[in-house]
Amino acid sequence: AALAGVVEYRNVTFAYPGAESPVLSNISFTARPGQTVAIIGSTGAGKTSLLSLLPRLYDPVEGEVLLDGVPVSRLDRAEITKRVALVPQRPYLFSGTIEHNLRFGKSEATDRELWDALRVAQGESFVRDKKNGLDARIAQGGTNVSGGQRQRLCIARALVTKPRVYLFDDSFSALDVATDARLRAALKQTTADATVIIVAQRVSTITEADQILVLDNGRIVDRGTHEELLETSPTYQEIVES
Ligand code: TTP
Ligand code: MG
C-alpha cells in the first residue's frame, strides 16, 4: 500500500520563520484512507498552519510529517501534489475560463471528469447556467463569482486531480447549510477511499468525522468523536454552544 495516503504528524512543533514562539506544539495524529479527521478550534488556533505542513508550504522545526510512512521532507513538492490536494481557506481563481481553472492541477482531465467534479462540488448548475458554460471567463482573483461559487470551483479543482489525501481548509463556510450538507454527502461517496482532513468552523460540518482534534493555541487539547467530545471536552462544548 505504498500510495495509500496515510498521513501521520509525529510530535510536530512549528514556528513561522523569524517568529519567536511556535504556533503549533507537539502535534501528533494519524489519518488513514477511508477516514475523515476534523480540526476545530478558535481563530488563530493554528488550523491553517497545521495543514500547510503536509504539502510543505512550510517545514516543522521539530518532529515529522509522514505520508505513507515517508517523511515529507524527503519528497519534493510535485510528488506530494500528486497525492495531496489542499483546498485553501482563501480559494484562489485566476483570470481565464472555468475550464482552465478546473484543469489547473491536471491538464489532461477530460470534460467528463470536469463535470463529474462540478457535480460533486455542487457547482454543476451555476456553471451550466452560464452562457458559455466551462468556457465562461473568470476575472482575476475570481471577483465575478460569489464566495460560495469560488469555494465550490476550488473544491471541484481538487476533485479533478483525484488525490489520495484531501485537505479542506474551512472550505464550506461560505455555503448555506443545505448546500454544505449536499456537498458533504456527495463528497463522502466520492472520497470514500481517500484520506480527508477537514478544518471547519461549523460543528455541523464535522459531526460525522471519525476523529475530531480540538486545537487551542497550537495544541491538541482534546480528541475524539463528536459524541465523545460532547461528554469530555469543555473546549468543544464551548465551540458547540457558540
Ligand atoms: P492560523 O494557522 O492561520 O490559525 P487558524 O487557521 O486556526 O485561524 P482561522 O480560524 O482564523 O483561519 O494562525 C495561527 C497563528 O499563526 C496566528 O497567530 C497567525 C500566525 N500566522 C503567521 O504568522 N503567518 C501565516 O502565514 C499564518 C497563516 C499564520
Ligand atoms: Mg485558518
Side-chain angles (χ1 to χ4, degrees), residues 210 223-233 236-237:
D210 298 288
R223 67 178 80 202
T225 62
H226 174 70
E227 286 72 24
E228 287 163 358
L229 290 169
L230 283 179
E231 299 267 314
T232 59
S233 172
Y236 190 71
Q237 287 155 15

Side-chain angles (χ1 to χ4, degrees), residues 153-173:
L153 289 175
C154 289
I155 291 166
R157 175 196 284 160
L159 287 161
V160 167
T161 68
K162 298 193 168 79
R164 298 298 314 147
V165 182
Y166 289 89
L167 306 176
F168 294 111
D169 192 350
D170 206 12
S171 303
F172 314 105
S173 58

Side-chain angles (χ1 to χ4, degrees), residues 91-95 101 138-147 150 153:
Y92 188 73
L93 296 174
F94 50 85
S95 139
N101 271 280
I138 303 279
Q140 181 74 37
T143 47
N144 63 337
V145 294
S146 76
R150 187 153 60 225
L153 289 175

Side-chain angles (χ1 to χ4, degrees), residues 3-9 29-38 51 54 66-68 83-86 162-168 187-188 190-198 210:
L3 297 177
V6 179
V7 173
E8 184 184 357
Y9 280 56
F29 70 93
T30 302
R32 294 178 201 289
Q35 287 185 334
T36 297
V37 171
L51 292 187
L54 180 57
L66 302 104
L67 182 58
D68 293 321
R83 289 144 77 183
V84 178
L86 167 66
K162 298 193 168 79
R164 298 298 314 147
V165 182
Y166 289 89
L167 306 176
F168 294 111
L187 266 182
K188 200 173 166 178
T190 308
T191 66
D193 302 326
T195 306
V196 179
I197 303 179
I198 294 186
D210 298 288

Side-chain angles (χ1 to χ4, degrees), residues 43-44 46-49 89 169-170 199 201:
T43 180
K47 305 180 296 294
T48 295
S49 306
Q89 188 166 16
D169 192 350
D170 206 12
V199 165
Q201 297 282 347

Side-chain angles (χ1 to χ4, degrees), residues 100-127:
H100 286 140
N101 271 280
L102 292 178
R103 278 187 205 285
F104 178 67
K106 194 185 176 198
S107 52
E108 72 277 17
T110 63
D111 277 14
R112 172 77 191 268
E113 289 175 307
L114 303 186
W115 283 110
D116 284 347
L118 282 170
R119 198 167 304 122
V120 173
Q122 309 300 304
E124 186 186 19
S125 62
F126 83 77
V127 174

Side-chain angles (χ1 to χ4, degrees), residues 28 39 62 67 75 90 119 136-137 139 146 152 161 175 184 199 208-209 231 234:
S28 294
I39 300 162
E62 271 174 56
L67 182 58
L75 303 172
R90 292 206 196 93
R119 198 167 304 122
R137 292 201 69 84
S146 76
R152 283 176 279 170
T161 68
L175 307 176
R184 280 181 299 101
V199 165
E208 289 173 26
E231 299 267 314

